[in-house]
Amino acid sequence: PSEEIITLMWSFVVSIYSIGGLLGSLSAGYLSVRFGRKKVMLLTNIPVLLSAALMGLSRLSGSFEMIIIGRLLSGVCGGKFAFLHTYAGEISPKKLRGFVNVTSSVFLALGKAVARILGLRELLGSQSLWPVLMASCGIPALVQLLTLPFFPESPPYLLMHKGDQEGCKKAIRQLWGEGHHQAEIDDIMKEKATMKNTKILSVLELMKEPAFRWQLYMIATLTATVQLCGISAV
């Protein structure tokens, strides 16, 4: 193919991840309420492993389409995980909850830094090893797939969405040990009562709401600045 077609295909390979991320983030909220945080996180690792296999075998198969499909699947799963990181905050002790909730940004930056280093030509960025680099996204997915079954479901989810108070108490004891945890349960109940009186806005309703307009302008400006600063080119 011509140089222009190669550039177009490469651009599509790079950008398809963001499209997948958009699709994944839009569906994560519904799925996490419908099936539970833990179950959705567990099942989301399966497409990640499929993605790793497709990208890792793409050079052997001589198929750039496998890279595109793999990147799309990785993007969808990445979008879901960005939302489902709330699971880590929900199962953490109250005094650590704020710290845990912000670790997604920290580990996102750390993951990018590690990937940049591993992508150097002296390491895994060589002509023979780049499929290994692209398939390495399956390693954390495999670790999570093997360890997550030993964790309980989110206590706030069990109590607020399922109404399972006994299941909530059992999950809390498993996470935080034996003891009197009635204060934590009361906090969850207060949050549930607050949510009942709060209208959940759709994306379109949020954009039409005048009270949130300046906040949306700020978020859009900051996000656009990050995306257009040249980091993708670097």
Side-chain angles (χ1 to χ4, degrees):
S2 65
E3 186 176 344
E4 289 79 9
I5 295 298
I6 291 175
T7 302
L8 177 64
M9 289 190 298
W10 177 243
S11 301
F12 198 66
V13 166
V14 173
S15 59
I16 196 71
Y17 182 88
S18 298
I19 297 173
L22 175 64
L23 297 174
S25 61
L26 288 174
S27 62
Y30 168 77
L31 292 175
S32 66
V33 173
R34 179 73 174 81
F35 300 105
R37 275 70 158 155
K38 175 187 169 182
K39 187 178 291 185
V40 175
M41 287 182 68
L42 196 61
L43 294 177
T44 300
N45 287 291
I46 297 174
V48 178
L49 293 174
L50 177 59
S51 166
L54 286 169
M55 293 190 292
L57 297 173
S58 59
R59 185 173 185 269
L60 187 64
S61 304
S63 171
F64 71 89
E65 294 89 351
M66 291 172 67
I67 301 178
I68 293 175
I69 297 171
R71 289 272 297 170
L72 177 64
L73 288 173
S74 287
V76 171
C77 298
K80 287 182 181 178
F81 279 129
F83 178 87
L84 292 169
H85 183 74
T86 54
Y87 172 81
E90 289 178 353
I91 68 171
S92 61
K94 190 174 181 179
K95 61 182 179 180
L96 296 175
R97 196 161 297 158
F99 168 75
V100 172
N101 282 329
V102 300
T103 55
S104 64
S105 299
V106 175
F107 283 104
L108 179 63
L110 181 63
K112 285 183 177 182
V114 171
R116 299 291 181 193
I117 295 169
L118 292 178
L120 295 173
R121 295 187 184 278
E122 293 79 5
L123 298 175
L124 296 179
S126 64
Q127 189 171 354
S128 59
L129 292 178
W130 66 260
V132 178
L133 175 65
M134 299 196 76
S136 63
C137 66
I139 297 175
L142 184 61
V143 171
Q144 193 173 102
L145 196 63
L146 295 174
T147 57
L148 198 56
F150 298 100
F151 286 78
E153 182 55 90
S154 161
Y157 170 78
L158 291 172
L159 190 56
M160 295 170 61
H161 296 285
K162 292 296 183 182
D164 186 0
Q165 190 162 345
E166 286 303 316
C168 175
K169 290 179 180 179
K170 183 179 178 182
I172 287 175
R173 286 195 296 268
Q174 185 177 344
L175 289 165
W176 307 333
E178 296 294 335
H180 187 67
H181 301 293
Q182 189 59 42
E184 287 82 359
I185 295 174
D186 291 341
D187 286 340
I188 297 173
M189 293 299 294
K190 289 178 184 177
E191 186 179 349
K192 182 179 181 180
T194 303
M195 285 183 64
K196 281 185 177 180
N197 300 322
T198 304
K199 182 184 178 183
I200 305 299
L201 301 177
S202 67
V203 175
L204 189 60
E205 289 173 333
L206 183 65
M207 294 177 69
K208 290 180 177 179
E209 180 61 50
F212 300 122
R213 195 151 293 162
W214 280 106
Q215 290 93 321
L216 285 173
Y217 288 158
M218 291 174 63
I219 292 170
T221 302
L222 288 170
T223 305
T225 303
V226 171
Q227 294 300 322
L228 298 173
C229 70
I231 186 65
S232 295
V234 173

